[in-house]
Amino acid sequence: MGNFKSVFKLLRTENGYTQDGLADMLGISRSAVSMYENGNREPDLKTLEAIADLFKVDMDYLLGRSAAAVTASPERYTAPNCDDLITVYTRSRKNLSQEEKMRLARIILSDDDEE
C-alpha cells in the first residue's frame, strides 16, 4: 500500500491523537492502529475510507500515491460536528455508560457554536 504506514502515523501524531483515541474514533482496536503504523497489517476499504474522512484527506494521499498533503494543522482544526459525534458513537464497539451517553447527547443537542 505504498507509504500508507508513514502517512497514517504522521496524520495521527500531527492531529494529536493517541493510538487509543484514534482506535475509538475509527471503531477499531488499538493493536490494529499499531499494526497499521508498523506495516504489519493493512486496513480494509471501509476502514481506509473512515481514516480518509476523519483526516479530511484524499485516498490517494493516504495511500502514498499523491504528494498533496491535506492535513488538519492546528490553525485549520475544526471541532467535530454533530454528524462526526454520531459516527463515533455508531462505530464504537464498546458500550457507553449512561453518563457517557448523556454527555454525548448534551454535546449533540447543544446549539453553542464555539468558533
Side-chain angles (χ1 to χ4, degrees):
M1 242 195 241
N3 202 19
F4 171 76
K5 68 179 186 175
S6 300
V7 172
F8 181 65
K9 184 170 185 176
L10 180 68
L11 288 170
R12 178 184 65 79
T13 57
E14 280 187 348
N15 287 279
Y17 287 103
T18 62
Q19 287 185 344
D20 285 324
L22 182 56
D24 285 344
M25 290 290 291
L26 296 172
I28 60 177
S29 68
R30 188 213 50 82
S31 65
V33 171
S34 178
M35 287 188 275
Y36 296 162
E37 290 183 358
N38 291 320
N40 297 328
R41 182 174 167 188
E42 296 176 346
D44 59 22
L45 182 60
K46 182 179 176 183
T47 304
L48 201 57
E49 288 174 337
I51 294 166
D53 289 346
L54 176 67
F55 292 120
K56 297 180 180 15
V57 296
D58 132 331
M59 296 269 286
D60 284 335
Y61 173 72
L62 193 57
L63 295 172
R65 296 183 199 158
S66 165
V70 185
T71 60
S73 61
E75 60 273 5
R76 295 167 118 188
Y77 173 77
T78 56
N81 63 28
C82 180
D83 290 336
D84 295 332
L85 294 171
I86 291 169
T87 299
V88 168
Y89 176 76
T90 56
R91 286 188 178 156
S92 178
R93 292 184 182 171
K94 63 181 181 181
N95 293 324
L96 297 175
S97 69
Q98 189 62 30
E99 181 180 329
E100 290 168 323
K101 288 177 185 176
M102 294 302 293
R103 184 171 175 226
L104 184 58
R106 282 193 299 273
I107 293 168
I108 291 172
L109 297 173
S110 170
D111 58 2
D112 295 336
D113 289 330
E114 296 180 26
E115 294 186 59

